[in-house]
Amino acid sequence: PAPGMESLPEAVLIRILASIPAVDLVQVCRLVCCQWKNLVDGAALWILKCQQEGLTRAESDAENWQNFYFLSKKRKNLIKNPCGEEDLEHWGEVENGGDGWKIEELPGDFGKEFPSEEVHKYFVTSYEWCRKAQVIDLRAEGYWEELMDTTQPKIMVRDWYAGRSDAGCLYELCVKLLSENEDVLAEYRSETVTIPQDNDANWTEISHTFSNYGPGVRFVCFEHGGQDTLFWKGWYGVRVTNSSVTVEP
């Protein structure tokens, strides 16, 4: 009989397998035989796929190249409607004080343009506390339980806030990592940021990275908000936009 693929040098077989979509490698090719299982579970195949697709990583960081590949391909902002392009869609209104939330076009009255030209709108708060939240289901986004429990990839949280130059305001951010039963496993809570009246209206980024948070994380709850400090009717409170939650490779 003619020699089969099992007679190929391992380096050649790895190059052939590297041309197959990653999901098929794990779900199909890995089940063919012990040799293929070992190759799919090993580092060489995934290093090659990363090189082919321009995914770079420090060698000293290389604990699990398969996880790194999948996390890199999945990396995206898990916050939906971060800049108000869909009004308040996907946001739960935890607190809607004063005249409630409003969406405005940048730069807005007494405001500044955002550092990125891709951002065109922002949410603005009123004269009593306004808060809104999103709960991200990590499994629904493709982050499987073993990955979250064993690898515990870093979870990066970012938000942007600004005042208008003619009014003072307050801002807060709170992000929680939740279990299956929505128990809090880790939490980041910013201080209450006070922006004075007659400020420069510049946009400020706030960020936090969760790491080594332990097994069991299934959801991320992102909540932010604020108010103005002058109690003027309308929308003179803090402005927020371009919020993001990413699972880092």
Side-chain angles (χ1 to χ4, degrees), residues 154-166:
K154 293 178 180 178
I155 299 174
M156 173 72 79
V157 177
R158 294 185 178 90
D159 200 19
W160 288 83
Y161 65 88
R164 46 184 289 162
S165 61
D166 63 339

Side-chain angles (χ1 to χ4, degrees), residues 167-233:
C169 60
L170 304 175
Y171 165 82
E172 287 182 358
L173 170 67
C174 179
V175 185
K176 300 174 183 177
L177 306 186
L178 307 177
S179 70
E180 177 79 33
N181 299 320
E182 299 190 5
D183 298 320
V184 178
L185 302 181
E187 179 176 358
Y188 168 74
R189 188 180 293 273
S190 74
E191 62 180 0
T192 301
V193 178
T194 302
I195 300 174
Q197 192 175 11
D198 301 319
N199 65 86
D200 58 14
N202 285 333
W203 287 92
T204 299
E205 184 184 38
I206 184 172
S207 65
H208 177 75
T209 301
F210 291 97
S211 60
N212 301 318
Y213 40 77
V217 171
R218 301 292 178 262
F219 302 95
V220 180
C221 177
F222 179 103
E223 179 182 313
H224 63 178
Q227 68 170 102
D228 78 52
T229 53
L230 300 174
F231 303 99
W232 288 349
K233 183 170 176 59

Side-chain angles (χ1 to χ4, degrees), residues 145-157:
E145 295 182 4
E146 183 183 359
L147 174 75
M148 298 308 301
D149 293 346
T150 305
T151 304
Q152 294 175 33
K154 293 178 180 178
I155 299 174
M156 173 72 79
V157 177

Side-chain angles (χ1 to χ4, degrees), residues 68-109:
F68 173 75
Y69 177 88
F70 279 106
L71 286 170
S72 297
K73 299 294 283 186
K74 283 182 177 295
R75 190 176 185 275
K76 64 176 182 177
N77 185 5
L78 300 177
I79 292 285
K80 296 177 174 63
N81 186 27
C83 304
E85 296 291 346
E86 303 172 71
D87 199 52
L88 284 166
E89 189 73 21
H90 305 296
W91 291 97
E93 292 173 337
V94 177
E95 199 168 345
N96 208 19
D99 289 321
W101 287 96
K102 185 183 179 185
I103 291 92
E104 295 181 346
E105 298 272 350
L106 280 157
D109 293 340

